[in-house]
């Protein structure tokens, strides 16, 4: 760790030969920098082809009148963007924010509470933690199926249990209620997410100074004071990181919303990702989908900017 | 509530006796809270497994039974007797496997370079790769679709493998970079001073050390590829389809889905990722790399 290989000017091939005699150098004249670049090159090419170019080109399409099923395209400037703005843009943004916030905060609260509980030094903690990680690893599609079945309006176990307990007379159909549908996708996403947050928080809790906790106790501080003055401040970085990353990911989440509600009823659970997908691959309007993407990234750039400004450096 | 409370002599802390009196209650509250969360976490999985082995006529009974009264494996048999589902499974294995393999190789070289060499633009490259987590998949899909269409790659396995690189490449690069960062530079320096060629260094010195990290990164990539939905839904037709979109299209198109069968298929679909995950457990708990596990 003491010394990293230093960048060398291309001209100093002779300096290389001091380290590696000419007869043992595979390709003579290749400097360390050139080797380093050669190693990273395939990944960069792939990055350009599947990530960078598609991102830029997809946004660029937003400036054209272009269809997926008709050939040809015509430059229309910001017309698509203005069209999207003039329709339900505010609603779209709000729904995305509601989902992203809910699906970030709810699992965070569950996971934080759980991490605090598990950190008490309970017997079988390791096994419990392992089992609790399961929801995170299941395919999102399978997670959606599980909750679809539980909330099924005809034979779902939730309706059955509530009726059995006498809490409802008629079966609930969450898929016809806008806010209940939103709640469903948030609960299902929270179920899938909380294990990951829990692991992060547990890692953070393990780094909390025992000496500090002890010191507050000796001064007569109770559980709440210890939590407020020691635990919470030392977790600040990790809390910020986890919340912001989750927010970013939920902002673009697609599969569970699509499988659970298809953005319905009406447009009640249609977020940016669902809107863009439907516009591009069901209405075949690529120009307009690109415009949705432009506005989406514009809104998304706010948390991204926050992250780069205040983000925990350790995660980079 | 911390463990330190238990070992301190009571006399030292004025509130000690009060805490001791409250302790049994606290223990119970703790366990109740844990039980509630464990129920929330595990009930859906339990219900999936239970439904998948319940005879069809019992599934739709009221009130629901939480303990099985009769068990059948007919729904699992149905899965393996449905050619379309088997085809989806073969596609899933093939595409996720090749994706994992390819992503690990490309990103291991990149991670080695990013971890063990100093050059201008190294930080920018890392930041660029990291920031790609914010690129929305649905947005990338517009151009990927047009691109694959141009090259006649729509409805091929290659289209899926390439599109899966959008998330496996950054993921594996970060896992591998984290791994290489833990390998002392001296190991490489020593080999280099001994006059070893770069190629020899990579294959004889680095590869054996890096192998556990590569396995972990590969398992990660396999899981992520296996779980993909949006790319396989859009870029390929019925012949190349993978299990996640396959199940959605097979079962959710109908007016009333066949839930016991769907639960059995869901269980089967989950098995590979659960096995991969178990192999990864140690890695998850010890060396979780924050920026690389988009969920």
């Amino acid at each position: 760790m003491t010394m990293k290989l230093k960048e060398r000017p291309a001209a100093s091939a002779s300096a290389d030969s001091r380290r590696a005699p000419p007869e043992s150098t595979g390709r003579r004249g290749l400097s360390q920098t050139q080797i380093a670049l050669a190693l990273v090159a395939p990944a960069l090419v792939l990055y350009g082809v599947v990530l960078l170019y598609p991102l830029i080109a997809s946004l660029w399409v937003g400036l054209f009148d272009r269809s997926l099923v008709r050939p040809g395209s015509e430059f229309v400037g910001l017309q698509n963007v203005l069209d999207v703005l003039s329709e339900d843009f505010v609603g779209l943004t709000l729904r995305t924010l509601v989902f992203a916030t809910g699906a970030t905060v709810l699992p965070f609260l569950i996971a934080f509470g759980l991490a605090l509980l598990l950190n008490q030094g309970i017997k079988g903690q390791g096994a419990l933690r392992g089992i609790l990680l399961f929801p995170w690893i299941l395919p999102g599609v399978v997670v959606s199926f599980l909750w679809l079945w539980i909330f099924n309006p005809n034979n779902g176990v939730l309706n059955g249990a509530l009726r059995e307990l006498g809490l409802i007379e008629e079966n609930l159909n969450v898929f016809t209620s806008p806010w209940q549908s939103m709640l469903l996708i948030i609960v299902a996403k929270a179920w899938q997410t909380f294990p990951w947050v829990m692991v992060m928080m547990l890692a953070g809790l393990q780094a909390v100074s025992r000496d500090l906790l002890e010191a507050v106790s000796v001064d007569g501080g109770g559980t709440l004071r210890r939590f407020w003055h020691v635990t919470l401040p030392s977790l600040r970085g990790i809390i910020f990181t986890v919340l912001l990353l989750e927010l970013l990911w939920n902002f673009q989440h697609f599969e569970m919303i699509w499988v659970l509600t298809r953005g319905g009823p009406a447009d009640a659970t249609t977020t940016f990702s669902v809107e863009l997908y439907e516009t591009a691959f069901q209405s075949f309007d690529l120009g307009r989908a690109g415009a949705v993407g432009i506005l989406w990234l514009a809104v998304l750039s706010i948390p991204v900017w926050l992250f780069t400004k205040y983000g925990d450096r350790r995660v980079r | 509530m911390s463990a330190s409370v238990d070992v301190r002599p009571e006399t030292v802390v004025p509130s000690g006796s009060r805490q001791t009196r409250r302790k049994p209650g606290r223990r119970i509250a703790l366990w109740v809270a844990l039980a509630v969360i464990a129920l929330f976490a595990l009930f859906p999985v339990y219900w999936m497994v239970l439904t998948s082995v319940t005879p069809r006529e019992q599934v739709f009974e009221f009130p629901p039974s939480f303990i099985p009264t009769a068990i059948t494996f007919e729904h699992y048999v149905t899965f393996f007797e449905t050619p379309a589902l088997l085809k989806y499974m073969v596609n899933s294995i093939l595409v996720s496997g090749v994706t994992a393999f390819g992503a690990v190789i490309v990103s291991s070289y990149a991670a080695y370079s990013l971890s063990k060499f100093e050059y201008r633009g190294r930080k920018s490259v890392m930041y660029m790769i990291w920031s790609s987590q914010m690129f929305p998949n649905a947005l990338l899909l517009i151009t990927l679709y047009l691109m694959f269409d141009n090259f006649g790659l729509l409805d091929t396995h290659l289209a899926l493998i390439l599109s899966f690189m959008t998330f496996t490449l950054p993921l594996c690069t970060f896992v591998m970079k984290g791994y290489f960062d833990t390998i002392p530079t001296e190991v490489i320096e020593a080999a280099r001073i001994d006059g070893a060629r770069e190629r020899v260094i990579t294959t004889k010195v680095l590869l054996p050390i890096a192998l556990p990290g590569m396995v972990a990164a590969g398992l990660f990539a396999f899981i992520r590829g296996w779980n993909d939905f949006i790319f396989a839904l859009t870029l390929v037709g019925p012949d190349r389809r993978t299990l996640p979109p396959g199940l959605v299209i097979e079962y959710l198109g109908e007016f009333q889905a066949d839930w016991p069968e769907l639960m059995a298929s869901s269980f089967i679909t989950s098995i590979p990722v659960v096995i991969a995950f178990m192999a990864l457990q140690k890695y998850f708990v010890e060396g979780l790399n924050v920026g690389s596990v988009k969920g």
Side-chain angles (χ1 to χ4, degrees):
Chain A
M1 294 292 206
T2 47
M3 69 186 248
K4 286 220 168 178
L5 306 172
K6 288 282 168 322
E7 182 190 356
R8 274 161 218 288
S12 70
S14 56
D16 268 341
S17 60
R18 181 171 51 85
R19 264 226 181 123
E23 62 272 17
S24 71
T25 315
R27 291 174 208 152
R28 286 225 288 140
L30 269 194
S31 72
Q32 291 296 322
T33 306
Q34 282 167 323
I35 292 169
L37 290 177
L39 289 170
V40 83
L44 281 183
V45 170
L46 199 56
Y47 180 92
V49 173
V50 299
L51 281 156
L52 200 58
Y53 169 70
L55 178 76
I56 295 164
S58 296
L59 294 173
W60 183 243
V61 165
L63 303 177
F64 290 81
D65 179 13
R66 174 149 192 196
S67 158
L68 189 63
V69 286
R70 275 185 293 106
S73 69
E74 188 193 342
F75 185 79
V76 291
L78 290 176
Q79 193 54 49
N80 289 325
V81 175
L82 294 175
D83 283 350
V84 177
L85 276 175
S86 69
E87 275 159 41
D88 193 23
F89 178 70
V90 176
L92 187 64
T93 310
L94 283 179
R95 289 190 300 266
T96 308
L97 282 175
V98 167
F99 171 74
T101 313
T104 301
V105 172
L106 183 61
F108 175 77
L109 294 177
I110 296 170
F112 197 10
L114 197 56
L116 286 172
L117 286 174
L118 284 177
N119 203 42
Q120 300 300 305
I122 291 162
K123 261 181 255 164
Q125 196 218 82
L128 197 59
R129 188 173 53 184
I131 293 169
L132 286 173
L133 274 170
F134 268 95
W136 180 53
I137 212 64
L138 296 181
V141 169
V142 167
V143 174
S144 310
F145 292 153
L146 298 188
W147 290 95
L148 273 179
W149 176 219
I150 288 171
F151 277 83
N152 186 278
N154 302 315
N155 307 98
V157 63
L158 185 75
N159 273 316
L162 290 177
R163 249 166 65 197
E164 181 74 358
L165 291 169
L167 292 174
I168 52 166
E169 307 251 305
E170 299 262 307
N171 274 0
L172 295 172
N173 188 348
V174 298
F175 302 99
T176 56
S177 154
W179 71 268
Q180 284 173 13
S181 292
M182 183 59 91
L183 200 62
L184 168 68
I185 58 175
I186 289 174
V187 167
K189 189 73 183 79
W191 186 77
Q192 193 200 32
T193 308
F194 87 87
W196 178 75
V197 185
M198 179 189 78
V199 171
M200 300 302 301
M201 297 309 290
L202 270 174
L205 279 172
Q206 252 126 52
V208 174
S209 156
R210 293 213 168 271
D211 291 346
L212 265 179
L213 288 171
E214 198 102 351
V216 176
S217 295
V218 171
D219 289 346
T223 307
L224 267 180
R225 277 192 65 174
R226 279 203 300 271
F227 178 74
W228 192 254
H229 291 290
V230 182
T231 311
L232 212 51
S234 33
L235 289 179
R236 211 164 43 195
I238 198 109
I239 291 175
F240 180 82
T241 305
V242 164
L243 286 180
L244 210 47
L245 277 176
E246 274 302 326
L247 200 63
L248 291 179
W249 295 336
N250 286 325
F251 218 83
Q252 50 157 296
H253 187 71
F254 173 78
E255 63 180 349
M256 286 179 60
I257 304 176
W258 181 258
V259 179
L260 283 167
T261 65
R262 294 268 154 112
D267 277 338
T269 51
T270 300
T271 60
F272 273 109
S273 59
V274 175
E275 174 77 13
L276 191 149
Y277 189 85
E278 282 184 338
T279 309
F281 296 102
Q282 291 189 330
S283 311
F284 308 123
D285 192 342
L286 293 186
R288 202 190 152 92
V292 172
I294 291 172
L295 291 166
W296 183 1
L297 282 196
V299 176
L300 189 65
S301 65
I302 299 166
V304 172
W305 175 75
L306 278 174
F307 186 82
T308 48
K309 196 143 188 260
Y310 302 108
D312 186 342
R313 295 200 67 82
R314 281 173 301 175
V315 302
R316 306 263 181 84
Chain B
M1 268 174 109
S2 82
S4 58
V5 175
D6 302 341
V7 292
R8 253 191 351 268
E10 263 177 42
T11 45
V12 179
V13 181
S15 62
S17 58
R18 196 166 46 95
Q19 282 188 354
T20 321
R21 238 188 299 127
R22 244 177 20 203
K23 247 169 76 180
R26 276 194 181 187
R27 280 272 140 190
I28 294 169
L30 194 77
W31 280 107
V32 169
L34 266 179
V36 169
I37 297 178
L39 189 74
F40 170 72
L42 298 179
F43 178 75
V45 176
Y46 172 74
W47 198 240
M48 163 174 78
V49 176
L50 188 67
T51 305
S52 73
V53 294
T54 309
R56 188 170 279 104
E57 59 278 10
Q58 280 186 25
V59 167
F60 305 112
E61 268 175 13
F62 175 84
S65 166
F66 292 98
I67 300 146
T69 48
I71 284 183
T72 173
F73 291 101
E74 55 170 319
H75 311 303
Y76 287 89
V77 174
T78 312
F79 178 95
F80 290 103
E81 284 176 351
T82 311
L85 292 176
L86 288 177
K87 196 166 58 188
Y88 300 157
M89 188 160 73
V90 171
N91 288 335
S92 272
I93 295 169
L94 187 75
V95 170
S96 318
V98 175
T99 301
F101 197 74
V104 166
I105 291 180
V106 174
S107 50
S108 292
Y109 283 121
Y112 172 44
S113 166
L114 292 171
S115 173
K116 294 288 175 242
F117 291 84
E118 286 272 356
Y119 49 93
R120 259 172 65 191
R122 192 179 63 98
K123 286 245 165 68
S124 316
V125 170
M126 263 154 58
Y127 190 72
M128 208 169 78
I129 293 176
W130 189 87
S131 65
S132 67
Q133 302 197 77
M134 288 158 218
F135 301 178
N137 283 345
L139 185 62
L140 301 177
L141 198 49
I142 297 178
T143 301
L144 288 173
Y145 188 94
L146 293 173
M147 216 163 77
F148 292 138
D149 193 19
N150 261 339
F151 290 102
L153 287 175
L154 277 184
D155 202 13
T156 63
H157 288 129
L158 186 60
L160 288 185
I161 292 163
L162 282 173
S163 65
F164 287 5
M165 289 292 171
T166 56
F167 47 82
T168 50
L169 180 73
L171 172 74
C172 293
T173 305
F174 273 87
V175 171
M176 285 314 294
K177 177 167 184 300
Y179 198 82
F180 278 123
D181 283 348
T182 66
I183 299 174
T185 312
E186 284 86 345
V187 175
I188 305 156
E189 285 285 313
R192 195 165 281 140
I193 287 165
D194 286 347
R197 300 165 184 215
E198 286 298 328
R199 180 168 301 183
V200 176
I201 292 176
T202 32
T203 52
K204 290 276 163 62
V205 182
L206 270 179
L207 192 68
I209 309 177
L211 209 56
M214 290 170 78
V215 171
L219 287 170
F220 250 130
F222 180 85
I223 293 173
R224 287 295 312 279
W226 186 274
N227 289 355
D228 162 79
F229 173 65
I230 191 169
F231 290 122
L233 176 74
T234 316
L235 296 172
V236 294
D239 285 338
R240 308 282 186 282
R241 197 171 281 150
T242 58
L243 272 171
L247 292 185
V248 171
I249 288 162
E250 288 289 315
Y251 287 100
L252 292 192
E254 305 158 32
F255 172 67
Q256 168 75 317
D258 189 331
W259 290 103
E261 247 183 71
L262 178 51
M263 290 299 116
S265 302
S266 296
F267 187 81
I268 293 168
T269 304
S270 307
I271 290 174
V273 285
V274 168
I275 293 173
F277 170 64
M278 282 169 160
L280 266 175
Q281 273 277 11
K282 209 172 122 67
Y283 184 86
F284 266 103
V285 177
E286 284 170 7
L288 200 73
N289 191 320
V290 190
S292 57
V293 275
K294 181 166 163 181

